[in-house]
Amino acid sequence: MQNDSDVIVVGGGFAGVCAARELSRAGLRTTVLEARDRLGGRTWTRHSTLGRELDIGGTWVHWIQPHVWSEITRYGLDLIASPEPERAYWRIGDDLRSGPADDMLALLDAPMTELLDRARAVLPQPYDYLPKSDELRALDHISVADRIAAQGLDPEQSALFDGMWALNFSGVPKRGAYTQALRWCALAGGDWRLMFEACATYKLAGGTRSLLDAIAADAARTDIRLNTTVTRIREHSGGAEVTCADGTRMRASRVIATIPINVLNRIDFEPPLNHDLHRVAAEGQASTGLKVWIRVRGDTGRFVALADSTAPLNFLQYEYADDGDSLIVGFGPCSDALDFHDPQAVQAELHKWRPDLEVLGVDGHDWTADPLSGETWPMLAPDQLMPVQEAAADISRAVRLAGSDYARGWAGFIDGAIESGLRAARQITTEIECEK
Ligand SMILES: Cc1cc2nc3c(=O)[nH]c(=O)nc-3n(C[C@H](O)[C@H](O)[C@H](O)COP(=O)(O)OP(=O)(O)OC[C@H]3O[C@@H](n4cnc5c(N)ncnc54)[C@H](O)[C@@H]3O)c2cc1C
């Protein structure tokens, strides 16, 4: 039977769209099957109910993230900086403290330096796990919470540190692997402040959609089908057959599946996925969090707020002045711990730091409950790094994995999605060329 396409890409987030651009530019017949009614996946720039365009999902990028930076250069896009905070508010249990933002960061400096001091030694080449794989494997059993507990911090540092890693993991630190922390820091040259800057400082002036649209426009010869949910991927001797929810079947010589780990098991793979990856997908990776945008009456001043991982909202950051009001972005480690559709519930959380704030509206999306993501940004739990990396590197099958969850470098970021999309497309293009 003839193939419908050379390559079918399942999922139209950054990984899928980048892969499609590369494949179609290489002259391969490429089809993208996307379940949502839009491209972009876990990035979503949209007009918010709070009155302006906002990034509801992924937002910040940085020049130390080589793949996204190369795309920003390629399409000539501009960045804007998030406002530098002046004041910080932090909670240790019920005890509220505040001071200049630099004072709060200074409290984190010693424990963060100690936590991450082996990052470059353990991952001397952060895109290559082999040089120190034995040490990495040994460390991969440990959660970041176990490692923090061993540091013997005072209550203030302990609360701040727990809160900071809950923010980084978009989940509770006891579920996040210590190797993920080392990985981020190794990619930032061993400098935790640079790592922190990379996570939440610079954003695309036109939102993430400006970059996504530029890449998608370059994939113009791709057949993009929205509202198309894939339910089954069956490999056969000449490639693979994809079945969609409406019963449509399509064949291709290769399939790139860019499905987030936490919803991977919603697709029936035949033969089944590598056993260990199946186990990781069943237990889920560590992110379970929430991101919300909050409109607050008047000028709040440029501030950040932090609390430990037991708080439903444990981090706030001032982002925009808008028509005399302030737009604040908030994060929490467990999306089901707060009804963010209820402005009163959100205000009650803000009042734990600042009783003077009046919430006028809240907007967001529950990515953790969303059946097409099941997670926010991927952060692996202990004992997941090697199975995920091994499955992502498997080129023996017609079905390949790509996506931020499976990236070698900045997994969890837009950069990782782009990296993995480029990698899968290059490999497949070479293979199909050789088969001709
Ligand atoms: C709240 C939040 C904040 C974030 N903040 C940042 C940040 O500031 N900076 C940063 O770099 N990154 C951030 N990220 C992470 C970043 O957005 C993601 O890592 C990246 O966008 C993932 O891209 P992807 O293509 O790998 O996956 P996705 O974007 O998830 O794309 C996968 C696609 O597959 C589709 N799909 C799923 N199942 C099926 C199916 N069965 N059939 C067909 N299609 C299917 C989905 O609809 C989706 O479009 C954030 C993410 C979230 C959620």
Side-chain angles (χ1 to χ4, degrees):
M1 196 186 284
Q2 248 200 340
N3 284 333
D4 302 284
S5 302
D6 294 314
V7 186
I8 294 173
V9 180
V10 184
F14 266 99
V17 172
C18 271
R21 179 193 64 192
E22 298 300 299
L23 294 162
S24 60
R25 285 173 72 101
L28 297 178
R29 289 175 305 142
T30 307
T31 302
V32 173
L33 303 178
E34 167 55 54
R36 299 182 198 272
D37 61 2
R38 61 172 180 86
L39 296 175
R42 279 172 283 170
T43 59
W44 190 13
T45 314
R46 69 158 161 79
H47 193 78
S48 155
T49 54
L50 304 184
R52 60 165 292 156
E53 293 262 301
L54 290 172
D55 268 308
I56 303 296
T59 305
W60 291 278
V61 293
H62 201 277
W63 47 89
I64 62 166
Q65 298 170 334
H67 302 89
V68 72
W69 194 250
S70 155
E71 299 293 337
I72 289 168
T73 306
R74 178 171 178 161
Y75 296 110
L77 302 177
D78 294 325
L79 297 190
I80 50 172
S82 288
E84 203 171 321
E86 286 174 333
R87 247 192 122 64
Y89 300 82
W90 62 99
R91 307 200 310 255
I92 300 96
D94 294 333
D95 187 10
L96 175 63
R97 302 190 186 172
S98 71
D102 284 347
D103 287 8
M104 190 180 83
L105 275 190
L107 284 167
L108 287 167
D109 190 46
M112 202 64 110
T113 303
E114 186 189 336
L115 182 83
L116 299 171
D117 71 341
R118 299 255 329 124
R120 296 226 52 208
V122 174
L123 280 161
Q125 298 162 236
Y127 285 83
D128 185 350
Y129 297 87
L130 289 177
K132 299 269 182 167
S133 57
D134 287 345
E135 189 175 3
L136 203 59
R137 269 178 215 277
L139 289 173
D140 201 32
H141 302 313
I142 304 169
S143 76
V144 81
D146 294 336
R147 187 62 180 69
I148 293 172
Q151 286 182 248
L153 304 176
D154 68 36
E156 184 174 44
Q157 284 178 322
S158 188
L160 281 176
F161 215 34
D162 175 68
M164 185 56 84
W165 281 102
L167 171 66
N168 289 341
F169 277 99
S170 187
V172 288
K174 66 172 184 292
R175 278 225 68 222
Y178 176 43
T179 50
Q180 296 296 288
L182 293 173
R183 189 182 187 187
W184 278 21
C185 194
L187 287 157
D191 178 344
W192 80 263
R193 283 179 184 264
L194 181 58
M195 174 188 96
F196 189 50
E197 179 183 294
C199 293
T201 310
Y202 297 100
K203 46 197 175 183
L204 286 149
T208 52
R209 192 177 57 206
S210 60
L211 179 57
L212 186 88
D213 286 352
I215 298 170
D218 248 356
R221 279 183 295 154
T222 305
D223 173 14
I224 296 178
R225 302 187 189 187
L226 300 177
N227 303 304
T228 306
T229 303
V230 170
T231 54
R232 186 171 183 234
I233 304 175
R234 185 178 68 82
E235 289 181 55
H236 53 77
S237 54
E241 182 185 75
V242 170
T243 306
C244 304
D246 66 0
T248 311
R249 291 181 190 192
M250 294 181 66
R251 285 177 164 239
S253 128
R254 301 284 189 286
V255 172
I256 302 178
T258 70
I259 307 300
I261 288 174
N262 283 12
V263 292
L264 195 56
N265 284 347
R266 285 174 171 260
I267 294 184
D268 179 15
F269 287 88
E270 194 183 318
L273 291 170
N274 158 317
H275 178 71
D276 283 341
L277 182 63
H278 187 71
R279 188 259 303 161
V280 171
E283 70 187 23
Q285 52 80 48
S287 82
T288 50
L290 180 71
K291 171 186 179 181
V292 286
W293 285 98
I294 309 161
R295 187 177 189 98
V296 173
R297 188 182 300 283
D299 179 7
T300 63
R302 302 198 307 260
F303 77 100
V304 285
L306 186 61
D308 69 27
S309 62
T310 61
L313 269 188
N314 88 312
F315 183 78
L316 302 176
Q317 177 165 297
Y318 172 93
E319 280 293 316
Y320 299 104
D322 192 69
D323 204 15
D325 294 330
S326 305
L327 291 183
I328 311 292
V329 64
F331 293 88
C334 301
S335 79
D336 58 4
L338 177 71
D339 177 6
F340 72 87
H341 300 291
D342 176 2
Q344 293 303 317
V346 173
Q347 177 162 294
E349 289 308 310
L350 265 57
H351 280 188
K352 292 177 184 169
W353 288 288
R354 289 193 51 178
D356 59 316
L357 302 184
E358 182 190 350
V359 171
L360 299 174
V362 186
D363 195 9
H365 177 77
D366 189 346
W367 299 98
T368 302
D370 182 335
L372 298 173
S373 50
E375 54 182 64
T376 56
W377 54 93
M379 293 301 293
L380 299 178
D383 295 318
Q384 295 185 343
L385 180 61
M386 292 304 175
V388 170
Q389 285 301 316
E390 279 160 17
D394 183 0
I395 54 168
S396 66
R397 296 177 58 159
V399 179
R400 306 293 161 78
L401 293 168
S404 180
D405 296 49
Y406 314 95
R408 284 201 198 163
W410 288 98
F413 293 81
I414 296 166
D415 187 89
I418 296 171
E419 175 223 306
S420 72
L422 296 180
R423 193 186 298 283
R426 181 188 48 74
Q427 177 69 33
I428 288 174
T429 306
T430 309
E431 288 168 10
I432 293 181
E433 195 57 40
C434 292
E435 286 165 12
K436 277 182 184 162

